[in-house]
DNA sequence: ACCTCGCTTGGGAACGTTCCCATTCTCTGC
DNA sequence: GCAGAGAATGGGAACGTTCCCAAGCGAGGT
């Protein structure tokens, strides 16, 4: 039972006493069908428990009603990095509403990336969402050449040509800097992400702008680069303390790195926030669970997810349409670490 | 450019000077092809940059090389619940290695679930992975009736008939109980998950067993049920403290609930671990980030993910094979909260 | 020298849809 | 009463692959 031959559009047509085409028209909501024919078809569909075969449909329509969401797993582990989970959630919300399937692709290394482009070339998806792209990432270019609609979460540079949604990283960094200054701090360090990513550069620039506004002279010893991991944040903090032992605040470009920094601060006997104030970025649960709870720049990650999904669906529906760039606001959430 | 007509198997055949079938044979690795024909075909494929159309292939083979991973989003938000991220990671690892696509389905409510069964009926996937099933969940039965290979992470009951992988929840609960007893605690409470889930019942039973071993009389006032959320853990803790103010330890069936419990304990002025020892379950980053850091029962979540993926691929390859049940060991990780 | 067997090969059919087009039927207007 | 328009309908072809089967072609055995 259960596994017997499933009905096709022909079976339905026979049962309803009409032709294949009429059934197809009913399924696809064409108006050029008489009421009685439509009723007969709908009855037959219900009786036979018929569901159209989406693969056969895809062969002729050249549409799969599914999009890929590509997440680079190498650099920031899904799970320890709540950012990705939130993006997935936002994307999924929009896709489910439009009955589009979500193909999740975790890319760990180069080999897997090549597989990905194959899979995309196999026309298994109508479009691609890319998260966390580096400036020199070849993937967006490849996809563009394949003529496949592509939308980014984040951007490769401020002049990004592909459609994308990102948060106001410059503004967020500036807000973090201003906040620390307003708390009376003057030796304010920063831990940035990889500098080949626009997120990192923008947040760094925001921090610089805030310091500039307050006429605090730039000091290279107060800048350390890490890789968005806790371990990296720890090491960066250590290096900062060596080069600038008198620092009294640090702005990290992610909560995870800020958590690593706080670990190192405690290890070296510096109190947070009394000796060193800390501000993170993301406002994930890590900020809430941290001890002391962490001040952090909130970015609307789930909304980024839903936005890129919406942009992609638009681009699939109308490939000729103009590319769109969306920037979402950030917001400082003040807690005990600053 | 880029979007011009993509080559088909016919184009390749013409270019290589052979028939369609020979090209197909080369692609699918048949040995019944002469070396020179194979060489010609491979050359043509390379020159034309040909990639087989997987949709057309799927139409005749009735295989899509993609499986669905279904995650109920309602009860435990992806992201705040690291369990799901880890499962996804494990699943993805195995699938990528076998070039199988992963369709991620977040199910929020009944309506979305119905869509899911439709989508499954449309034959878009070769099999389904279900996470976090409740005892009376209709989905496994529906899928079984559709004749679609189905594998569960976790089980509906100890006599689960479908293939599944789960961790040794009974053993884990027992270990947690024994540990607290070994710390000299005697009034040991527990916060369980929903009792219509086997995970919850098994962990509870393990806790009971441990208490029984130590000849501690059961006491209903020491049991509270929550829903695997932080909020729920908080409320459960409050209720426990009301009913049994003399409790000196609590075992929560998840880290998230344990975190909620710790919050409530602190609010009521009980020190952890001096007044009340706390043990969680999962050993997620929440346990590490908690303050004090949390003792927790580690379960190999990523391995559960890779196991169910492997089981599903096996079942797809050989639908007649016997169902398999895998139980993975847990391990107590002792930290400062106990 | 002929038959047979095994290795290669390629054409036809099928998978289940949608789209194009021709056909039938009905109704309107003169 | 008849031409023409427009609505409704259904058959054929196509989408790009795989599978079935028939056929070509040497070689080896009798």
């Amino acid at each position: 039972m259960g596994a017997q031959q499933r009905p096709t559009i022909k079976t339905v047509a026979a049962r309803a006493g009409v032709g294949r085409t009429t059934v197809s028209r009913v399924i696809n909501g064409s108006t050029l069908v008489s009421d009685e024919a439509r009723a007969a078809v709908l009855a037959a569909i219900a009786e036979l428990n018929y569901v159209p075969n989406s693969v056969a449909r895809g062969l002729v329509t050249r549409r799969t009603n599914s999009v890929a969401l590509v997440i680079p797993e190498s650099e920031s582990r899904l799970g320890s990095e709540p950012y990705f989970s939130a993006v997935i959630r936002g994307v999924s919300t929009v896709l489910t509403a439009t009955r589009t399937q979500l193909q999740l692709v975790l890319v760990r290394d180069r080999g897997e990336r090549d597989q990905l482009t194959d899979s995309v070339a196999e026309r298994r998806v109508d479009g691609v969402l890319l998260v966390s792209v580096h400036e020199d990432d070849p993937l967006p270019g490849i996809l563009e050449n394949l003529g496949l609609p592509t939308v980014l979460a984040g951007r490769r540079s401020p002049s990004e040509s592909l459609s994308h949604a990102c948060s106001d990283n410059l503004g967020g960094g500036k807000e973090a800097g201003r906040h620390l200054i307003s708390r009376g701090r003057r030796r304010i360090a920063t831990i940035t992400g990889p500098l080949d990513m626009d997120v990192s550069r923008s947040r760094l620039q925001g921090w610089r702008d805030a310091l500039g506004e307050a006429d605090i002279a730039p000091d290279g010893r107060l800048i350390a680069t890490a890789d968005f991991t806790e371990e990296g944040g720890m090491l960066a903090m250590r290096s900062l303390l060596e080069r600038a032992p008198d620092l009294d605040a640090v702005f990290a470009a992610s909560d995870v790195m800020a958590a690593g920094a706080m670990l190192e601060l405690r290890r070296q006997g510096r109190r947070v926030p009394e000796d060193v104030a800390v501000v993170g970025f993301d406002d994930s649960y890590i900020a809430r669970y941290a001890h002391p709870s962490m001040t952090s720049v909130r970015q609307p990650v789930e909304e980024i997810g839903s936005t890129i999904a919406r942009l992609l669906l638009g681009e699939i529906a109308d490939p000729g349409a103009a590319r769109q760039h969306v920037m979402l606001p950030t917001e400082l959430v003040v807690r005990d670490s600053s």
Side-chain angles (χ1 to χ4, degrees), chain A:
Chain A
M1 50 150 278
Q4 69 265 43
Q5 213 58 292
R6 305 189 56 241
T8 75
I9 203 171
K10 259 183 180 161
T11 330
V12 176
R15 175 76 153 241
V18 300
R20 280 194 334 277
T21 315
T22 301
V23 177
S24 175
R25 271 191 273 259
V26 170
I27 294 170
N28 294 292
S30 161
T31 52
L32 296 165
V33 180
S34 67
D35 290 346
E36 70 186 313
R38 167 170 294 112
V41 169
L42 289 176
I45 287 178
E47 285 168 36
L48 294 169
N49 214 348
Y50 166 77
V51 182
N53 180 320
S54 64
V55 175
R57 173 181 290 169
L59 182 56
V60 41
T61 60
R62 290 140 178 292
R63 282 286 215 85
T64 60
N65 290 316
S66 103
V67 307
L69 171 58
V70 181
I71 295 182
E73 162 86 332
S74 53
E75 50 200 37
S76 30
R77 305 182 44 124
L78 177 70
S80 75
E81 187 56 275
Y83 178 80
F84 297 108
S85 307
V87 171
I88 294 178
R89 218 159 45 227
V91 168
S92 163
T93 306
V94 170
L95 293 186
T96 306
T98 56
R99 313 212 47 153
T100 305
Q101 316 262 339
L102 170 58
Q103 196 112 64
L104 184 66
V105 185
L106 301 186
V107 182
R108 236 145 308 193
D109 52 37
R110 260 208 71 75
E112 292 193 4
R113 158 130 78 209
D114 292 347
Q115 275 194 32
L116 166 66
T117 50
D118 270 13
S119 142
V120 158
E122 280 175 350
R123 293 293 172 197
R124 310 186 63 140
V125 292
D126 297 334
V128 178
L129 297 169
L130 293 179
V131 179
S132 182
V133 279
H134 290 246
E135 187 170 28
D136 60 347
D137 197 325
L139 203 44
I142 294 174
L143 295 173
E144 207 172 357
N145 272 342
L146 279 169
L148 209 66
T150 305
V151 175
L152 313 180
R155 56 189 192 187
R156 284 170 292 177
S157 77
S159 60
E160 177 64 61
S161 62
L162 287 170
S163 286
H164 66 271
C166 63
S167 38
D168 180 9
N169 293 307
L170 186 80
K174 198 182 294 188
E175 219 177 339
R178 282 175 179 162
H179 166 72
L180 288 169
I181 291 166
S182 81
R183 287 287 203 253
R185 311 289 168 152
R186 282 300 175 273
R187 293 289 289 164
I188 304 175
T190 188
I191 300 176
T192 76
L195 288 177
D196 66 339
M197 296 181 73
D198 178 76
V199 255
S200 309
R201 286 195 306 257
S202 293
R203 290 172 192 175
L204 174 62
Q205 189 56 47
W207 168 85
R208 277 204 182 105
D209 289 355
L211 268 57
E213 284 175 0
D215 286 325
I216 299 179
D219 181 346
R221 285 170 300 180
L222 291 174
I223 303 178
T225 299
D227 56 357
F228 280 130
T229 68
E230 184 177 342
E231 172 87 6
M234 235 182 55
L235 296 174
M237 192 69 242
R238 187 175 305 166
S239 145
L240 285 172
L241 287 171
E242 269 172 27
R243 296 183 325 215
D246 61 333
L247 61 82
D248 58 9
V250 58
F251 161 54
S254 84
D255 285 351
V256 180
M257 294 195 297
M262 280 174 62
L263 232 58
E264 181 65 19
L265 285 170
R266 185 172 314 156
R267 188 172 302 154
Q268 301 210 13
R270 311 263 185 145
R271 292 166 305 165
V272 175
E274 294 83 354
D275 302 330
V276 179
V278 175
V279 174
F281 206 112
D282 278 349
D283 189 34
S284 62
Y285 51 79
I286 293 174
R288 289 199 313 280
Y289 283 123
H291 190 83
S293 67
M294 190 194 293
T295 297
S296 185
V297 180
R298 195 185 94 83
Q299 56 170 338
V301 188
E302 196 163 334
E303 202 179 335
I304 290 182
S306 58
T307 305
I308 58 173
R310 209 161 11 239
L311 291 181
L312 182 60
L313 291 176
E315 212 150 293
I316 290 171
D318 177 10
R323 304 269 169 79
Q324 295 198 45
H325 310 321
V326 178
M327 182 174 286
L328 298 165
T330 59
E331 177 193 2
L332 186 74
V333 179
V334 180
R335 295 203 183 80
D336 299 340
S337 69
S338 69

